[in-house]
Amino acid sequence: MARFVDIHPVDPQPRLVAQVADVLRGGGLAALPTDACFTLAARLGDPGARRRIIEIRHLDERHHFTLMCADFAQLGHFVHLDNAVFRAVKAVTPGCYTFILPATPEVPRRVLHPKKRTVGVRMPDHRICQALLAEMGEPLLTSTLLMPGEEDPMTHGWEVKERLDHVLDVVVDGDMGGCEPTTVVDLSQGYAEVVRVGAGDPAPFT
Protein backbone atom coordinates (compact mmCIF):
# COMPACT_ATOMS: atom_id res chain seq x y z
CA MET A 1 0.00 0.00 0.00
CA ALA A 2 1.37 3.39 -1.02
CA ARG A 3 1.84 6.15 1.52
CA PHE A 4 -0.16 9.30 0.65
CA VAL A 5 1.65 12.57 1.40
CA ASP A 6 -0.14 15.89 0.90
CA ILE A 7 2.49 18.61 0.47
CA HIS A 8 1.75 22.33 0.25
CA PRO A 9 2.26 23.41 -3.39
CA VAL A 10 3.67 26.88 -2.63
CA ASP A 11 5.56 26.31 0.62
CA PRO A 12 6.46 22.58 0.76
CA GLN A 13 6.87 21.35 4.34
CA PRO A 14 10.48 20.19 4.82
CA ARG A 15 9.40 17.37 7.13
CA LEU A 16 7.08 15.88 4.50
CA VAL A 17 9.58 16.38 1.69
CA ALA A 18 12.17 14.53 3.79
CA GLN A 19 9.72 11.65 4.29
CA VAL A 20 9.31 11.25 0.54
CA ALA A 21 13.08 11.44 0.03
CA ASP A 22 13.57 8.68 2.62
CA VAL A 23 11.18 6.42 0.68
CA LEU A 24 13.11 7.06 -2.54
CA ARG A 25 16.49 6.47 -0.86
CA GLY A 26 15.13 3.16 0.41
CA GLY A 27 14.40 1.98 -3.14
CA GLY A 28 10.82 3.21 -3.32
CA LEU A 29 8.86 4.32 -6.37
CA ALA A 30 6.91 7.59 -6.13
CA ALA A 31 4.22 9.40 -8.08
CA LEU A 32 4.80 13.16 -8.08
CA PRO A 33 2.86 16.16 -9.37
CA THR A 34 4.91 18.39 -11.67
CA ASP A 35 4.39 21.55 -13.71
CA ALA A 36 3.39 19.26 -16.60
CA CYS A 37 1.54 16.29 -15.09
CA PHE A 38 2.11 13.44 -12.65
CA THR A 39 5.32 11.48 -13.10
CA LEU A 40 6.75 8.24 -11.77
CA ALA A 41 10.02 8.90 -9.95
CA ALA A 42 12.82 6.90 -8.34
CA ARG A 43 16.48 7.23 -7.48
CA LEU A 44 18.70 7.14 -10.53
CA GLY A 45 20.93 4.60 -8.83
CA ASP A 46 18.09 2.21 -7.97
CA PRO A 47 18.68 -0.89 -10.15
CA GLY A 48 15.06 -2.03 -9.98
CA ALA A 49 13.35 1.28 -10.72
CA ARG A 50 13.55 1.06 -14.50
CA ARG A 51 11.92 -2.36 -14.57
CA ARG A 52 9.11 -1.28 -12.24
CA ILE A 53 8.30 1.74 -14.41
CA ILE A 54 8.37 -0.39 -17.59
CA GLU A 55 5.95 -2.87 -16.02
CA ILE A 56 3.52 -0.17 -14.87
CA ARG A 57 3.46 1.65 -18.20
CA HIS A 58 4.00 -1.39 -20.49
CA LEU A 59 6.95 0.34 -22.17
CA ASP A 60 9.37 -1.15 -24.66
CA GLU A 61 13.15 -1.13 -24.32
CA ARG A 62 13.52 1.94 -26.54
CA HIS A 63 11.67 4.25 -24.20
CA HIS A 64 13.51 7.43 -23.30
CA PHE A 65 13.64 7.83 -19.55
CA THR A 66 14.04 11.33 -18.15
CA LEU A 67 16.40 12.64 -15.50
CA MET A 68 14.67 15.35 -13.51
CA CYS A 69 17.41 17.78 -12.51
CA ALA A 70 17.58 20.65 -10.04
CA ASP A 71 19.79 22.99 -12.07
CA PHE A 72 22.26 23.27 -14.94
CA ALA A 73 25.19 22.17 -12.80
CA GLN A 74 23.43 18.87 -12.21
CA LEU A 75 22.13 18.58 -15.76
CA GLY A 76 25.58 19.21 -17.26
CA HIS A 77 27.00 16.34 -15.22
CA PHE A 78 24.75 13.81 -16.98
CA VAL A 79 24.38 15.07 -20.58
CA HIS A 80 26.65 16.74 -23.12
CA LEU A 81 25.78 20.40 -23.72
CA ASP A 82 27.55 22.52 -26.30
CA ASN A 83 27.08 26.30 -26.23
CA ALA A 84 24.23 26.38 -28.74
CA VAL A 85 22.29 23.64 -26.94
CA PHE A 86 22.92 25.27 -23.57
CA ARG A 87 21.45 28.56 -24.79
CA ALA A 88 18.42 26.84 -26.33
CA VAL A 89 17.66 24.88 -23.16
CA LYS A 90 18.34 27.80 -20.83
CA ALA A 91 15.89 30.00 -22.71
CA VAL A 92 12.90 27.84 -21.73
CA THR A 93 13.86 26.29 -18.41
CA PRO A 94 12.74 25.67 -15.80
CA GLY A 95 9.56 24.65 -17.55
CA CYS A 96 7.45 21.98 -19.21
CA TYR A 97 10.09 20.62 -21.59
CA THR A 98 12.07 17.39 -21.83
CA PHE A 99 15.25 17.44 -23.90
CA ILE A 100 16.84 14.34 -25.42
CA LEU A 101 20.62 14.66 -25.36
CA PRO A 102 23.75 12.48 -25.53
CA ALA A 103 24.47 11.04 -22.11
CA THR A 104 27.75 11.22 -20.22
CA PRO A 105 29.31 8.12 -18.64
CA GLU A 106 27.65 9.16 -15.35
CA VAL A 107 24.29 7.85 -16.59
CA PRO A 108 23.76 4.14 -15.88
CA ARG A 109 23.61 2.13 -19.11
CA ARG A 110 20.33 0.52 -18.12
CA VAL A 111 18.46 3.83 -18.47
CA LEU A 112 20.00 4.89 -21.79
CA HIS A 113 18.34 4.46 -25.17
CA PRO A 114 19.94 1.14 -26.25
CA LYS A 115 21.15 2.38 -29.65
CA LYS A 116 21.45 6.14 -29.42
CA ARG A 117 23.03 6.33 -25.95
CA THR A 118 20.79 9.28 -25.21
CA VAL A 119 18.61 10.20 -22.24
CA GLY A 120 15.91 12.75 -21.53
CA VAL A 121 16.51 15.61 -19.08
CA ARG A 122 14.27 18.29 -17.64
CA MET A 123 14.16 20.98 -14.97
CA PRO A 124 10.62 21.45 -13.62
CA ASP A 125 9.07 24.76 -12.63
CA HIS A 126 7.31 23.24 -9.63
CA ARG A 127 7.93 23.93 -5.94
CA ILE A 128 7.38 20.38 -4.69
CA CYS A 129 9.72 18.89 -7.30
CA GLN A 130 12.34 21.53 -6.62
CA ALA A 131 12.16 20.92 -2.87
CA LEU A 132 12.48 17.16 -3.33
CA LEU A 133 15.43 17.49 -5.72
CA ALA A 134 17.17 19.78 -3.24
CA GLU A 135 16.57 17.28 -0.44
CA MET A 136 17.83 14.35 -2.57
CA GLY A 137 20.90 16.17 -3.87
CA GLU A 138 20.75 14.14 -7.09
CA PRO A 139 18.53 13.80 -10.18
CA LEU A 140 15.49 11.56 -10.17
CA LEU A 141 14.75 8.93 -12.80
CA THR A 142 11.27 9.77 -14.10
CA SER A 143 8.64 8.83 -16.65
CA THR A 144 5.27 10.46 -17.36
CA LEU A 145 2.45 8.73 -15.51
CA LEU A 146 0.51 7.74 -18.62
CA MET A 147 -1.14 4.36 -18.38
CA PRO A 148 -1.22 1.81 -21.24
CA GLY A 149 -3.88 2.52 -23.83
CA GLU A 150 -4.78 5.92 -22.36
CA GLU A 151 -4.24 9.27 -24.04
CA ASP A 152 -4.43 11.49 -20.96
CA PRO A 153 -2.19 11.25 -17.89
CA MET A 154 -3.61 11.16 -14.38
CA THR A 155 -3.83 14.60 -12.78
CA HIS A 156 -5.02 14.01 -9.19
CA GLY A 157 -3.18 12.36 -6.33
CA TRP A 158 -6.27 10.54 -5.08
CA GLU A 159 -6.76 8.99 -8.53
CA VAL A 160 -3.14 7.81 -8.64
CA LYS A 161 -3.47 6.35 -5.14
CA GLU A 162 -6.72 4.57 -6.02
CA ARG A 163 -5.41 2.98 -9.23
CA LEU A 164 -1.77 2.27 -8.39
CA ASP A 165 -1.82 1.73 -4.64
CA HIS A 166 -0.47 -1.80 -5.06
CA VAL A 167 2.58 -0.92 -7.20
CA LEU A 168 3.77 2.39 -5.72
CA ASP A 169 5.45 3.18 -2.42
CA VAL A 170 4.42 6.82 -2.06
CA VAL A 171 1.99 9.19 -3.78
CA VAL A 172 2.61 12.91 -3.37
CA ASP A 173 -0.33 15.26 -3.74
CA GLY A 174 -0.30 19.02 -4.26
CA ASP A 175 -2.89 21.43 -5.62
CA MET A 176 -0.66 23.06 -8.23
CA GLY A 177 0.26 20.92 -11.18
CA GLY A 178 -0.32 20.50 -14.88
CA CYS A 179 -2.52 18.17 -16.89
CA GLU A 180 -0.38 17.65 -20.01
CA PRO A 181 2.91 15.82 -20.51
CA THR A 182 6.02 17.85 -21.29
CA THR A 183 6.93 18.92 -24.79
CA VAL A 184 9.81 16.66 -25.88
CA VAL A 185 12.59 18.12 -28.01
CA ASP A 186 15.38 15.95 -29.43
CA LEU A 187 18.62 17.95 -29.57
CA SER A 188 20.92 14.96 -29.84
CA GLN A 189 21.70 15.36 -33.54
CA GLY A 190 22.78 18.98 -33.44
CA TYR A 191 19.38 20.38 -34.43
CA ALA A 192 15.98 20.58 -32.76
CA GLU A 193 13.27 18.02 -33.53
CA VAL A 194 10.00 18.28 -31.64
CA VAL A 195 9.13 14.67 -30.81
CA ARG A 196 5.99 15.39 -28.75
CA VAL A 197 3.96 18.56 -28.39
CA GLY A 198 2.77 18.97 -24.83
CA ALA A 199 2.54 21.62 -22.14
CA GLY A 200 5.61 23.59 -23.32
CA ASP A 201 5.25 25.91 -26.33
CA PRO A 202 7.07 24.18 -29.22
CA ALA A 203 7.52 27.44 -31.16
CA PRO A 204 11.13 28.09 -30.03
CA PHE A 205 12.16 24.76 -31.60
CA THR A 206 10.20 24.80 -34.87
Side-chain angles (χ1 to χ4, degrees):
M1 180 178 293
R3 184 185 306 182
F4 190 83
V5 183
D6 192 358
I7 298 180
H8 195 280
V10 177
D11 189 17
Q13 304 94 319
R15 175 181 58 85
L16 298 181
V17 172
Q19 288 178 9
V20 177
D22 285 343
V23 173
L24 293 172
R25 292 188 187 108
L29 183 63
L32 309 174
T34 77
D35 49 342
C37 61
F38 264 84
T39 189
L40 297 169
R43 280 192 67 230
L44 176 59
D46 181 357
R50 174 182 176 276
R51 178 51 53 190
R52 291 180 70 182
I53 293 171
I54 284 175
E55 289 174 354
I56 290 171
R57 291 200 53 202
H58 296 185
L59 301 171
D60 64 32
E61 297 296 324
R62 295 168 294 174
H63 176 72
H64 264 111
F65 284 88
T66 298
L67 307 186
M68 183 185 288
C69 299
D71 50 35
F72 272 98
Q74 205 171 70
L75 188 147
H77 190 63
F78 292 93
V79 293
H80 295 288
L81 291 166
D82 61 25
N83 290 337
V85 169
F86 173 82
R87 287 193 298 270
V89 174
K90 185 174 177 59
V92 296
T93 54
C96 300
Y97 295 88
T98 296
F99 298 98
I100 298 172
L101 288 163
T104 70
E106 301 302 319
V107 181
R109 290 185 62 184
R110 64 180 175 274
V111 301
L112 296 176
H113 188 283
K115 292 184 178 179
K116 299 179 180 180
R117 294 293 185 259
T118 49
V119 70
V121 289
R122 72 169 301 221
M123 287 188 285
D125 186 14
H126 193 271
R127 296 281 183 87
I128 294 174
C129 293
Q130 291 168 349
L132 183 57
L133 288 167
E135 176 69 24
M136 294 293 295
E138 61 181 315
L140 291 173
L141 178 68
T142 67
S143 181
T144 301
L145 185 40
L146 185 62
M147 298 302 289
E150 298 183 9
E151 295 184 1
D152 298 318
M154 285 182 268
T155 57
H156 299 288
W158 61 265
E159 180 187 10
V160 176
K161 167 77 169 168
E162 187 175 86
R163 293 185 59 184
L164 298 176
D165 195 34
H166 59 297
V167 292
L168 296 176
D169 298 292
V170 61
V171 175
V172 176
D173 198 19
D175 291 336
M176 293 179 64
C179 57
E180 286 186 273
T182 57
T183 290
V184 179
V185 183
D186 190 338
L187 295 169
S188 64
Q189 301 300 313
Y191 57 87
E193 179 185 357
V194 178
V195 177
R196 179 180 72 194
V197 176
D201 182 3
F205 303 100
T206 56

